[in-house]
């Protein structure tokens, strides 16, 4: 084994250090395995209960009428996420699109959207109109109200109550911290928030942005009263095999509205050919619990490694985890850059290229990104990025297998060691 790691460019020092750190993670890894085992059975049961058959693996073309594979997959998703119905489509281009469809399907002029747990993900700013953008909900006369978290990261129930007005139609709650500094919410916490809101007005539609959270716990937002659960197939639930797509699970009437928004009023779910993606979406969902647990172990390993070296990690090495994102605060640009270079070197695709910081649209500083992916931009695959600004934090996620995630972290360590940023 040591020889193999040496051939892969890992020095003995890095190897030893990594193995020592790993010894302390056994219990947490066991817990991740138990969650994966439970979720594997959950997915399997959903497939069996919905009679997934060989015919489901074939796709459709043209209008896509009577696409049994697509329609059955939607039933499987509804079972897994414990909702009445689901829209799972390759025509949903990404997670942002899924969220946009969900919001614009439900909200009407004069309605208000409430974010009771702080500002949502960056890409939603333009959709909602927090930031001026053509075609935003604001342009259609839909208003927005936000209640920030309290300084200890908990929900500000008092102000949430005050923020609920007669025109409040819908609430958006983001499970994962995304690229913010707040902690990720557990499904249980989300459930408490939903109960509180429903206790004030039971007709308010509660949507959860589930990105990066799927299969990290044994329960999902649909189990705790969410009316809509939304996410991307090139993150956790696609298991790395889904080449494209997004999902919206939820109450029947709401999912129907989403289908009318995604395709057209009247046509809804009836159209939308699956082409050749059905098998990948099924197989990806089937593998998703295992893939997610591998990514989760990678995140735990990264936190333990970098915390031991004195870097601040969010979440830290011992906190409970509710998503697969790990941030490591390097405090200086050299650290962030060396980390990303190491991750890139560990990739199965494009391992020979060197990531460089560049002025990415939408960011106010240069951003460095490392990804050597099979599926463009799929962040369930091993990837890392971070803006070149104080505190020079790297955001790391994914890994289709635990062994690859482990190797990626070791390569990042080697890279920092070679650049003399760390001592071992
Ligand atoms: C990734 C992500 C999104 C958006 O997904 P894209 O597929 O990148 O458009 C939305 N919300 C959260 C919390 C995310 O992590």
């Amino acid at each position: 084994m040591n020889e193999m790691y040496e051939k892969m460019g890992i020095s003995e020092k890095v190897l030893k250090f990594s193995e020592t750190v790993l010894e302390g993670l056994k219990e947490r890894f066991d817990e991740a395995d138990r969650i994966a085992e439970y979720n594997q059975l959950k997915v399997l049961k959903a497939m069996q209960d919905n009679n997934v058959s060989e015919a489901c693996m074939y796709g459709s073309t043209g209008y896509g009428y009577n696409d049994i594979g697509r329609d059955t997959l939607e039933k499987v998703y509804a079972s897994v996420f414990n909702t009445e119905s689901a829209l799972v489509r390759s025509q949903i281009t990404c997670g942002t699109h899924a969220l946009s469809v969900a919001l614009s399907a439900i909200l009407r002029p004069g309605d208000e959207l409430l974010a009771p747990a702080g500002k949502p993900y960056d890409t939603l700013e333009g959709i909602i109109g927090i930031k001026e953008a053509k075609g935003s909900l604001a342009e259609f006369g839909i208003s927005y109200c936000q209640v920030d978290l309290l300084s200890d990261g908990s929900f500000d129930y008092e102000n949430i109550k005050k923020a609920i007005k007669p025109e409040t139609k819908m609430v958006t709650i983001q499970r994962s911290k995304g690229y913010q500094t707040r902690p990720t919410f557990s499904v249980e916490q989300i459930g408490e928030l939903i109960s509180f809101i429903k206790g004030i007005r039971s007709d308010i539609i509660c949507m959860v942005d589930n990105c990066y959270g799927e299969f990290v716990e044994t329960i999902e937002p649909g189990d705790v009263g969410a009316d809509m659960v939304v996410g991307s197939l090139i993150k956790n639930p696609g298991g790395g095999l889904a080449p494209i797509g997004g999902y919206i699970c939820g109450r029947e009437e709401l999912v129907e509205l989403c289908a009318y928004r995604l395709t057209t009023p009247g046509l809804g779910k009836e159209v939308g050919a699956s082409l050749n993606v059905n098998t990948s979406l099924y197989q990806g969902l089937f593998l998703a619990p295992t893939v997610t647990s591998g990514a989760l172990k990678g995140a735990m390993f990264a936190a333990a490694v970098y915390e031991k070296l004195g870097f601040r990690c969010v979440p830290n090495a011992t906190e409970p985890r509710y998503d697969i994102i790990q941030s490591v605060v390097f405090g200086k640009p050299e650290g962030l850059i060396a980390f990303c270079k190491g991750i890139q070197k560990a990739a199965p695709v494009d391992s020979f290229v060197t990531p460089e910081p560049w002025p990415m649209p939408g960011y106010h500083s240069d951003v460095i990104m490392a990804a050597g992916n099979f599926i463009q931009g799929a962040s369930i695959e091993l990837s890392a990025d971070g803006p070149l600004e104080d505190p020079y934090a790297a955001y790391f996620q994914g890994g289709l297998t635990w062994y690859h995630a482990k190797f990626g972290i070791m390569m990042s360590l080697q890279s920092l060691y070679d650049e003399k940023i760390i001592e071992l």
Side-chain angles (χ1 to χ4, degrees):
M1 185 71 85
N2 293 10
E3 232 171 79
M4 192 61 208
Y5 271 116
E6 202 187 311
K7 275 190 206 161
M8 296 296 287
I10 303 291
S11 67
E12 211 178 304
K13 277 210 158 127
V14 168
L15 189 60
K16 272 225 176 84
F17 182 82
S18 304
E19 293 302 331
T20 316
V21 169
L22 267 180
E23 270 161 33
L25 287 170
K26 284 206 173 81
E27 241 170 75
R28 301 206 72 196
F29 277 27
D30 283 348
E31 174 66 9
D33 285 336
R34 274 193 296 276
I35 293 170
E37 187 173 349
Y38 182 94
N39 285 328
Q40 180 69 79
L41 297 175
K42 188 201 279 189
V43 169
L44 184 59
K45 185 163 194 320
M47 290 188 175
Q48 294 181 347
D49 286 352
N50 290 290
N51 292 334
V52 172
S53 65
E54 189 196 343
C56 295
M57 301 305 132
Y58 302 116
S60 63
T61 55
Y63 293 114
Y65 293 138
N66 306 315
D67 188 325
I68 177 188
R70 179 198 65 203
D71 295 350
T72 306
L73 182 69
E74 292 183 333
K75 289 183 186 150
V76 171
Y77 262 75
S79 298
V80 167
F81 290 96
N82 196 11
T83 55
E84 288 172 6
S85 180
L87 188 65
V88 184
R89 299 288 167 125
S90 58
Q91 287 85 9
I92 299 179
T93 57
C94 59
T96 302
H97 186 199
L99 289 157
S100 178
V101 168
L103 292 169
S104 49
I106 307 300
L107 295 160
R108 296 289 178 271
D111 288 343
E112 184 157 286
L113 171 68
L114 170 64
K119 193 181 75 62
Y121 200 69
D122 278 9
T123 56
L124 263 71
E125 288 182 24
I127 295 167
I128 296 168
I130 300 170
K131 193 178 71 190
E132 209 176 286
K134 288 208 167 72
S136 70
L137 293 170
E139 260 192 6
F140 287 87
I142 294 155
S143 58
Y144 170 72
C145 174
Q146 178 179 316
V147 179
D148 288 329
L149 296 169
L150 294 170
S151 53
D152 65 354
S154 63
F155 303 126
D156 184 354
Y157 285 117
E158 203 182 307
N159 281 310
I160 293 171
K161 191 171 180 183
K162 281 186 202 152
I164 295 177
K165 312 170 191 129
E167 61 269 30
T168 307
K169 170 84 156 286
M170 188 174 184
V171 152
T172 179
I173 304 164
Q174 183 180 310
R175 179 169 172 183
S176 167
K177 65 182 173 300
Y179 300 126
Q180 285 175 298
T181 48
R182 68 150 168 99
T184 288
F185 304 130
S186 68
V187 172
E188 195 184 338
Q189 279 176 298
I190 290 171
E192 283 162 18
L193 180 55
I194 292 173
S195 301
F196 178 79
I197 289 161
K198 298 269 184 189
I200 297 168
R201 269 220 358 247
S202 62
D203 61 329
I204 293 178
I205 295 161
C206 295
M207 177 183 85
V208 176
D209 173 355
N210 209 25
C211 283
Y212 286 132
E214 300 93 347
F215 304 122
V216 173
E217 297 180 69
T218 54
I219 53 170
E220 298 289 340
D223 295 311
V224 295
D227 298 295
M228 299 171 87
V229 185
V230 183
S232 162
L233 299 195
I234 61 167
K235 291 180 180 170
N236 311 12
L241 294 186
I244 189 170
Y247 72 89
I248 301 171
C249 294
R251 287 196 350 241
E252 180 99 48
E253 51 169 332
L254 304 176
V255 171
E256 195 181 2
L257 287 173
C258 292
Y260 291 150
R261 182 54 62 226
L262 178 66
T263 68
T264 82
L267 298 184
K269 282 178 124 182
E270 302 297 320
V271 293
S274 60
L275 304 176
N276 292 319
V277 302
N278 279 344
T279 306
S280 307
L281 302 196
Y282 278 107
Q283 227 173 343
L285 178 65
F286 186 70
L287 294 178
T290 315
V291 172
T292 302
S293 81
L296 200 58
K297 288 177 185 174
M300 290 173 187
F301 180 49
V305 160
Y306 282 102
E307 199 168 88
K308 195 161 180 186
L309 291 168
F311 297 101
R312 193 163 81 85
C313 294
V314 184
N316 70 29
T318 51
E319 279 171 300
R321 279 171 189 271
Y322 305 118
D323 67 12
I324 62 166
I325 302 179
Q326 178 63 49
S327 78
V328 182
V329 179
F330 286 104
K332 51 183 183 180
E334 299 80 31
L336 171 59
I337 294 170
F339 178 86
C340 289
K341 285 185 174 168
I343 296 292
Q344 187 73 40
K345 270 192 189 169
V349 178
D350 289 337
S351 62
F352 51 86
V353 305
T354 308
E356 299 285 351
W358 63 296
M360 221 178 101
Y363 289 83
H364 32 79
S365 52
D366 285 4
V367 176
I368 185 164
M369 297 192 144
N373 283 10
F374 298 106
I375 305 289
Q376 187 191 97
S379 42
I380 188 61
E381 295 187 46
L382 189 70
S383 45
D385 44 68
L388 268 283
E389 62 186 24
D390 199 49
Y392 300 97
Y395 294 89
F396 161 87
Q397 68 270 311
L400 293 184
T401 68
W402 149 240
Y403 303 111
H404 183 229
K406 175 184 175 184
F407 177 63
I409 296 300
M410 288 166 83
M411 277 307 261
S412 73
L413 208 50
Q414 187 70 50
S415 172
L416 280 134
Y417 182 72
D418 291 345
E419 305 257 341
K420 302 196 167 34
I421 297 165
I422 53 164
E423 278 174 39
L424 295 173

